[in-house]
Amino acid sequence: VACGVGYGSAHLAACAQRVLGVDCACEAIEYARCHYSAAQNVEFILGDGAQLPCCDARFDLVCSFETVEHVERPLRLLSEIKRVLKDSGTCVISTPYTKTTTNSPANPHHRTEWCPDDFLQMIRSYFPVAELYSQVRREPPLVRALKRLDMFKLRRRLAPGGFIAAASADVGYRVTAALDLADLTILPGVDPRASELVAVCST
């Protein structure tokens, strides 16, 4: 749900019998179809997470990464995910980690960001069995130390590229666009170093 340009769906298709990617952006679906439809077991369709174009109890697994914080009605999204999931199915849903729930996040594209307790409580309103995990970026000790010293978050305000990009590379920091699976780890529970929370749920 909210497959974007399709690379995540293609990754899942390497181990799933069949994958359906859904997104509400026409441009994203067109790109996904052009670049990630080579495999016979992946398909991309246009659709809204608040009204998924799928029949009830169809899927064994539903993934929705970095989506729920963008939508106007997050409970509606969870309701739709539950509707299309089989009784024995699993939902994996992630959202940015924040210490305090807010309806006015710094990211202008986010409507709500949840602290771990509030996120888990919301998830459990539809999925009684839910466990939280932390997605943590693996970083050299020097990078972590520099982040702690950057009290004014200057690295976020300065445009990427040029001196900043070169300096980041010199200390072993990789920009988000360059990350791969080796740069991330998933840990059980809530880790204060987490960039995202990941809920693994079932009914």
Side-chain angles (χ1 to χ4, degrees), residues 29-188:
I29 291 297
E30 289 174 6
Y31 187 95
R33 287 172 176 167
C34 289
H35 292 82
Y36 295 105
S37 288
Q40 296 296 314
N41 63 333
V42 63
E43 178 187 359
F44 298 99
I45 63 172
L46 191 66
D48 190 335
Q51 192 172 358
L52 292 170
C54 310
C55 59
D56 296 355
R58 180 178 176 187
F59 300 100
D60 298 303
L61 173 70
V62 175
C63 298
S64 186
F65 302 132
E66 311 300 304
T67 306
V68 67
E69 66 275 6
H70 290 270
V71 300
E72 186 175 352
R73 297 185 294 166
L75 294 179
R76 177 65 181 173
L77 174 67
L78 294 177
S79 174
E80 278 294 277
I81 289 174
K82 183 175 181 179
R83 178 184 67 79
V84 301
L85 200 60
K86 294 178 181 177
D87 289 339
S88 58
T90 300
C91 168
V92 182
I93 184 167
S94 68
T95 197
Y97 169 78
T98 183
K99 293 181 180 179
T100 306
T101 298
T102 177
N103 291 319
S104 54
N107 187 325
H109 303 291
H110 293 181
R111 294 177 179 270
T112 307
E113 291 179 358
W114 295 270
C115 71
D117 287 343
D118 290 344
F119 182 58
L120 189 59
Q121 182 179 359
M122 179 180 69
I123 293 291
R124 284 181 173 164
S125 65
Y126 284 93
F127 299 97
V129 180
E131 295 183 5
L132 278 187
Y133 294 81
S134 296
Q135 178 176 298
V136 178
R137 182 185 292 197
R138 293 184 176 130
E139 296 173 329
L142 178 57
V143 172
R144 291 197 296 271
L146 290 173
K147 281 186 172 182
R148 285 195 296 271
L149 291 172
D150 185 15
M151 294 178 292
F152 299 105
K153 307 296 183 187
L154 294 177
R155 62 190 170 84
R156 294 184 181 177
R157 299 180 187 186
L158 295 172
F163 172 77
I164 297 299
S168 297
D170 286 344
V171 298
Y173 182 80
R174 285 159 61 86
V175 295
T176 301
L179 296 180
D180 58 32
L181 292 178
D183 295 303
L184 303 170
T185 186
I186 304 294
L187 302 173

